[in-house]
Amino acid sequence: MPPVLTARPTVPASRRPPSPHGVRLPRRVRGTLRHAAPALLGYLAVRLLGLLVLGRWAHLRGHGIWPALATSWDSRWYLAIADHGYEPGPPGEPPDGHRPMAFFPLYPALIKAVAAVTPGSRASVGLVLAVLCSLAAAWGIFAVGDRLYGRRVGTVLAVLWGALPVAVVQWMGYTESLFTALAAWALYAVLDGRWSWAAGLAVAAGLTRPTGIAVAAAVTVAGLLAARRGSRRALAAALAAPLGWLAYVGWVGLRLGRWDGYFVVQESWGNAWDGGSVTLRQLRRQLVYTQDPQLFLVLVSLTLIAATALFTLCVADRQPLPLLVFAGVLLLVVLGSGGVYFPRARFLLPGFPLLLPLALAVGRARRHVAALVLGGAALSSAWLGAYMLLVWRGAP
């Protein structure tokens, strides 16, 4: 006899178990999230520890943490651009003159767009966007590490990124989290051969920070090499990757009526390319000649030295070329600038490929050793983050 086919009973919609937040994610996305869960939870734990230490320290000093995170230093420039565009703002408040054109437009545009359809101030929106982007960045960093060396190394890599000395910036109204998310997923797309995604993310990164040129360079170099093997999509991605950065720099040039307008704006901030002479002078001054060195500037100096040493290890480890190009160009831009010295550690925050040698070593260590290293990094990051915002009197 033929098999009897019975209809599968239909469960009324009112009796089905509800999916989280009323939305049922596709199976593939749920599986990817489960795979990345240890990395994301570890990253969250590190950053929440930093927030707890910052909150306690701020309470003891009689300060609030919301203004420090949402409306301080560069955050005010991004919020002013979201309010007024690149036109002069109210007297005494940024932006003024052409100086706001040093700040790229994607982050303030997102703040303005999201604030238009959500409650709360633009400062709150900017801060929430930064936190969400930091999670996307940690996920992308994990994805790159997992693809290259496995889940454990990817998890350690994401946690290490959250435990950097200046990682408190990841949860401030700054562009570092957005830019790192775009860079990480662009590099992952290149490694995965998804050229359309790589190009689109590189264009977005080029509209986020001046160092977006590093993401564009990585995608362009990888795309041109793949194009030699006959990939038209790779060639298109290679040509499209720098368009975001070029579009904004070109727009500033048109506004100022000169081709080098953007670089003139940077000079008004004291930033000009000098090949690294100012960096070397500052390193000697902070580590050798200063009688009473400031802790934060010593930390910046040690970060620059460590980043250079780690890049050498990355080259020795023969990391994939896109990662080396991204990290190398990022280092070249940061170390070769003749501008202000104190934010250099923050400028290197998106350079997560530099952490891969450390993540490999920690990932291969015994569990108790790995726990000690990551715990120590998390505690030092929490303390240094609070110090940077509450004791150091300059911008991070």
Side-chain angles (χ1 to χ4, degrees), residues 331-352:
L331 270 175
L332 190 65
V333 172
V334 174
L335 298 181
S337 171
V340 288
Y341 186 70
F342 54 83
R344 304 290 180 94
R346 171 169 64 86
F347 292 164
L348 287 176
L349 195 59
F352 70 91

Side-chain angles (χ1 to χ4, degrees), residues 225-257:
L225 290 176
R228 294 175 59 184
R229 299 189 292 271
S231 173
R232 293 184 179 180
R233 289 187 177 183
L235 178 60
L239 297 175
L243 292 182
W245 190 88
L246 291 173
Y248 182 69
V249 171
W251 177 80
V252 174
L254 288 174
R255 282 285 298 267
L256 299 186

